Amino acid sequence: MPRYVFRKAGVELDAEQTNFVQQLGDYGAGRFYATFDDAAALQSEVAGVIRELENAPSALSFQSLTDPIEIHWLNENPRSGFNVSSDRPRLEVHVVPIGVPALSRRLIEQLSAGLPQRVRASGLVSSTEALELTPSATVAVLTVPPPTERGRWDGLKPGSLASISVYQDGAVAITFNLPGDQMGTILDPQDLAMRTAAALRLAGQVDITGAAEVAIGIGLTRGSMVSAGTVTGVSRNSGQMRMSAEPSRVEPDERISRAVLDRGADEVAAGLARALFSEFQKSGR
């Protein structure tokens, strides 16, 4: 169930309070936070949330697709800026609206201008983290530079949001760097499900098509130097790496109601993560 947290702006927090706020505003777990300056602003924020909840789809529904859906896979999209041979493997989640007109140049420009603020509001990046916006008439692309690595060379590298793209057909593509260590990338089903759910919610926040139904594709950009495992917070000293560079993908085969971008995110993300993990294991045989 979504939880909405409101924090008063301009209040200095100590380390424990900061950690508490971050836990409350855990976007991946369906909790959102916003800031306010005074009581009037807080009242306005709360009223807006109530309207969103009243207008949100009440239940998930699934129907088979009757027509093929185009997915803007990262490896096949030169405008993504992704280098399959040098960049770390990424999780990519694609949300494609069904039955909506193409976005105009004006709408793409407006969406692009507001994208950094929407991504920061999601809690997936900090308020001070650098974001790079690539202007285009046909796609809005925002990339998050990889975090600066600190500590031991063999320490665990946490996963992070890598990019978000909104295309002229209304499709939203969100990618994550996955956690890893000196041995390579770790593919953890539970971690996959959490990041996929966060991607679905973020797609719902940036989508401007208002589509009643969407199709979802999920993939791993490449399989080399990736191994199945559990993210424990400690780097590994052994593991079985898959050397195949082929991507793993789950193409959409259903139309899903818009509730998947909000209340139904966790349920659908769990199934998508299992399907992707299964595809990864098959391709490594």
Side-chain angles (χ1 to χ4, degrees), residues 242 244 277-285:
R242 200 185 81 168
S244 170
F277 191 76
S278 177
E279 286 297 319
F280 171 78
Q281 291 181 311
K282 288 178 186 177
S283 60
R285 293 172 183 169

Side-chain angles (χ1 to χ4, degrees), residues 88-144:
R88 287 173 58 187
R90 290 187 194 173
L91 168 68
E92 51 182 321
V93 180
H94 299 262
V95 177
V96 183
I98 296 175
V100 297
L103 299 179
S104 66
R105 179 191 297 261
R106 176 184 60 82
L107 287 175
I108 289 285
E109 290 177 351
Q110 289 180 354
L111 178 63
S112 182
L115 206 50
Q117 181 179 358
R118 296 189 184 204
V119 171
R120 291 193 193 281
S122 74
L124 291 173
V125 298
S126 71
S127 59
T128 59
E129 200 161 356
L131 303 176
E132 298 177 357
L133 194 62
T134 304
S136 169
T138 58
V139 58
V141 180
L142 183 143
T143 56
V144 184

Side-chain angles (χ1 to χ4, degrees), residues 164-180:
I164 176 170
S165 305
V166 184
Y167 295 88
Q168 199 165 24
D169 59 3
V172 180
I174 298 170
T175 72
F176 285 90
N177 295 310
L178 294 173

Side-chain angles (χ1 to χ4, degrees), residues 40-122:
L42 175 59
Q43 185 177 19
S44 176
E45 290 282 355
V46 172
V49 165
I50 293 174
R51 285 194 298 271
E52 288 181 9
L53 290 173
E54 289 175 342
N55 295 328
S58 58
L60 285 170
S61 63
F62 303 84
Q63 294 187 49
S64 298
L65 284 171
T66 55
D67 298 306
I69 296 292
E70 179 186 3
I71 298 292
H72 303 277
W73 296 112
L74 223 60
N75 296 10
E76 300 168 0
N77 183 5
R79 292 179 297 182
S80 69
F82 178 72
N83 189 324
V84 68
S85 61
S86 61
D87 288 351
R88 287 173 58 187
R90 290 187 194 173
L91 168 68
E92 51 182 321
V93 180
H94 299 262
V95 177
V96 183
I98 296 175
V100 297
L103 299 179
S104 66
R105 179 191 297 261
R106 176 184 60 82
L107 287 175
I108 289 285
E109 290 177 351
Q110 289 180 354
L111 178 63
S112 182
L115 206 50
Q117 181 179 358
R118 296 189 184 204
V119 171
R120 291 193 193 281
S122 74

Side-chain angles (χ1 to χ4, degrees), residues 105-280:
R105 179 191 297 261
R106 176 184 60 82
L107 287 175
I108 289 285
E109 290 177 351
Q110 289 180 354
L111 178 63
S112 182
L115 206 50
Q117 181 179 358
R118 296 189 184 204
V119 171
R120 291 193 193 281
S122 74
L124 291 173
V125 298
S126 71
S127 59
T128 59
E129 200 161 356
L131 303 176
E132 298 177 357
L133 194 62
T134 304
S136 169
T138 58
V139 58
V141 180
L142 183 143
T143 56
V144 184
T148 303
E149 295 182 5
R150 296 183 177 88
R152 293 168 53 94
W153 67 271
D154 58 350
L156 183 72
K157 301 177 180 65
S160 61
L161 179 68
S163 70
I164 176 170
S165 305
V166 184
Y167 295 88
Q168 199 165 24
D169 59 3
V172 180
I174 298 170
T175 72
F176 285 90
N177 295 310
L178 294 173
D181 51 26
Q182 79 279 5
M183 298 192 64
T185 296
I186 303 171
L187 200 65
D188 179 342
Q190 186 173 353
D191 181 78
L192 280 179
M194 180 194 72
R195 296 185 193 281
T196 302
L200 294 177
R201 294 189 180 100
L202 179 56
Q205 293 294 307
V206 304
D207 172 68
I208 61 174
T209 67
E213 294 180 314
V214 299
I216 301 170
I218 183 174
L220 180 68
T221 54
R222 64 182 171 91
S224 58
M225 297 305 294
V226 179
S227 64
T230 302
V231 178
T232 62
V234 180
S235 60
R236 302 164 296 174
N237 52 27
S238 64
Q240 185 175 359
M241 294 290 128
R242 200 185 81 168
M243 303 308 295
S244 170
E246 291 300 312
S248 299
R249 293 172 179 170
V250 177
E251 297 278 355
D253 61 359
E254 289 182 313
R255 308 192 327 255
I256 309 176
S257 64
R258 191 177 180 83
V260 68
L261 305 182
D262 183 17
R263 301 178 184 181
D266 290 327
E267 178 182 339
V268 174
L272 290 169
R274 287 194 298 269
L276 179 59
F277 191 76
S278 177
E279 286 297 319
F280 171 78

